[in-house]
Amino acid sequence: MTTLTWERVTVATGPGEGAEAAVRQAYREAGLAEPERVLVLPSPLAGAVVAAWLTGDETLRAKLEQARPADPERRHTGLPGLRADPAVRAVLEAGDPGRPVRDAVRTAPWERARAAAYAELGPAGWARLWAETGGRLWPQAERLVGDLRRAIADRGAALDTALGTDTDLEAERFGESLRHVTLDAVLGQHDAPWLSAFDGLDGLKRVAERAGWWWPYERLAIVTERPVELHLDDLGRLHRADGAALAYADGFALHAWHGMPVPPGFGAAMTGLTPERIRSEANAELRRAMLEHFGLDRYLAESGAQPVQSDETGVLWRIELPDDEPLAMVEVVNSTPEPDGTRRTYFLRVPPWVRRAREGVAWTFGIAEDDYRPRRET
């Protein structure tokens, strides 16, 4: 399989046929008996909930039992109901899934394959192979894995708060319990980076081509489907203005703006921004995203900002923002005229401690104000 194909595996969407057969093959290749049951679920959140119930303590189980299928109008706020699906009920009633076998199914094959490649290619050859395969693909997969784990933890914490948890710390602990369960998962399509580097490992590769995260136990394999939608920006970060950036069939979804988690509807609100709406945003991170989208120079022009200092290098502007550091910018004019004879104006964002335009311009060059002595500006 070529690197380009594995890139597609990492971001593939939609159902994949034959996932159960691929999982059983991975067990056989690891020298294990096939699982007695393979449970297919629609999202990694659903998989984490079932895995947490099967392997967690009574306190964790009791909280998970209180979860109900989310309201269709607010699907982003709930956890999957444990007993809503007959297949899930059957797994819960079956009891102990057996010991986790992730090490045998995934870790040991990876270690053997890497050791064989290293022995054959040597240090330099292995480094080249990894740079051409997994090293190229891992940053994309790592971002998605991290985003999903954070979202699962956040969903758990939000549910615990809704159930009347006494403290924020308890809610965070419950969310962390769900996130911790994801560390026991085989990453399916998000294992594409390291799978791309090796020959063999056919069972694991077949699962990656067909499924998302999965949890292997002796008698049970919990397999989750790939997302139904995935939207990325030019840098490979989750991003969408008019809906969820990453969505699964059961309603589990991540909303993001250029990689930053945002509430549902945030992207749509960006089309009608005003300086007043930006100032009223209580979340400092969301406000920064609004400023970036609105345009810092436009914000200065429309917010009634006043210059605080000017000199031969430019004009220093400063705006106070609630619960955040001030916005400081230096307005400069390009000394080289455009073809039509006009000169372009630029706004350079500088640290809030800057008090003079010259000091700010010098900072953009990484030098002290006293050392800024340009002979000719371009």
Side-chain angles (χ1 to χ4, degrees):
M1 185 175 280
T2 66
T3 300
L4 179 60
T5 301
W6 282 113
E7 287 174 347
R8 291 173 180 156
V9 167
T10 305
V11 297
T13 58
E17 296 182 0
E20 178 175 343
V23 165
R24 293 185 181 280
Q25 179 181 348
Y27 271 70
R28 293 195 303 270
E29 290 179 357
L32 300 172
E34 294 183 16
E36 298 169 9
R37 188 187 297 265
V38 177
L39 175 65
V40 180
L41 297 172
S43 74
L45 174 63
V49 168
V50 174
W53 194 94
L54 289 170
T55 61
D57 59 22
E58 291 303 317
T59 300
L60 181 59
R61 286 187 175 191
K63 289 187 176 182
L64 290 170
E65 284 283 9
Q66 296 179 64
R68 295 291 184 270
D71 185 319
E73 298 300 319
R74 303 177 66 228
R75 298 174 76 186
H76 59 278
T77 62
L79 288 179
L82 272 173
R83 302 183 185 277
D85 184 333
V88 174
R89 288 201 304 271
V91 165
L92 300 184
E93 292 166 2
D96 183 13
R99 64 181 177 86
V101 293
R102 180 181 185 276
D103 285 349
V105 170
R106 194 263 194 196
T107 305
W110 146 256
E111 291 175 345
R112 288 193 297 268
R114 184 185 183 282
Y118 193 89
E120 178 183 353
L121 301 174
W126 163 250
R128 284 194 299 270
L129 173 64
W130 183 251
E132 294 168 357
T133 55
R136 291 182 55 212
L137 305 183
W138 177 237
Q140 173 73 84
E142 183 181 31
R143 276 193 295 267
L144 292 172
V145 170
D147 290 340
L148 281 167
R149 284 181 170 149
R150 281 191 296 272
I152 289 170
D154 290 346
R155 185 69 68 88
L159 172 74
D160 206 38
T161 299
L163 293 175
T165 297
D166 292 335
T167 67
D168 290 342
L169 180 59
E170 287 183 34
E172 290 176 6
R173 286 173 177 167
F174 180 62
E176 182 61 21
S177 296
L178 282 186
R179 191 197 72 84
H180 186 76
V181 170
T182 68
L183 302 179
D184 296 327
V186 182
L187 299 181
Q189 68 180 122
H190 297 148
D191 269 335
W194 74 269
L195 290 171
S196 71
F198 306 113
D199 296 326
L201 306 174
D202 294 337
L204 288 170
K205 287 181 176 180
R206 287 185 63 206
V207 180
E209 292 168 349
R210 294 163 171 79
W213 297 5
W214 58 291
W215 284 259
Y217 302 95
E218 282 182 300
R219 293 185 287 279
L220 169 70
I222 302 170
V223 183
T224 67
E225 296 176 349
R226 300 180 302 198
V228 294
E229 287 193 73
L230 174 63
H231 303 270
L232 306 170
D233 65 10
D234 292 342
L235 298 179
R237 301 171 299 188
L238 289 176
H239 172 73
R240 190 180 180 192
D242 57 351
L246 180 62
Y248 288 85
D250 61 354
F252 176 49
L254 281 65
H255 295 258
W257 184 266
H258 294 297
M260 183 180 70
V262 297
F266 178 83
M270 298 289 258
T271 59
L273 285 178
T274 64
E276 292 74 20
R277 171 66 184 92
I278 294 172
R279 278 195 298 269
S280 67
E281 173 55 54
N283 185 298
E285 290 187 351
L286 298 183
R287 189 166 57 241
R288 292 184 193 119
M290 290 176 172
L291 280 168
E292 180 182 347
H293 181 71
F294 190 76
L296 296 174
D297 52 347
R298 180 184 172 193
Y299 184 81
L300 285 175
E302 296 185 16
S303 63
Q306 297 294 320
V308 297
Q309 191 270 339
S310 63
D311 54 37
E312 72 282 2
T313 63
V315 180
L316 177 65
W317 300 82
R318 183 184 178 91
I319 299 177
E320 299 297 326
L321 297 173
D323 301 319
D324 199 1
E325 66 180 22
L327 172 63
M329 302 185 71
V330 178
E331 178 185 356
V332 297
V333 178
N334 192 353
S335 60
T336 303
E338 299 296 311
D340 62 0
T342 62
R343 297 178 186 272
R344 294 186 64 182
T345 299
Y346 295 91
F347 287 85
L348 310 175
R349 187 163 188 177
V350 297
W353 45 259
V354 167
R355 291 294 180 269
R356 294 171 297 280
R358 185 182 190 85
E359 181 184 20
V361 174
W363 177 86
T364 67
F365 287 99
I367 60 177
E369 179 181 4
D370 292 342
D371 297 328
Y372 181 62
R373 297 283 187 272
R375 294 182 179 179
R376 179 174 178 269
E377 296 183 5
T378 61

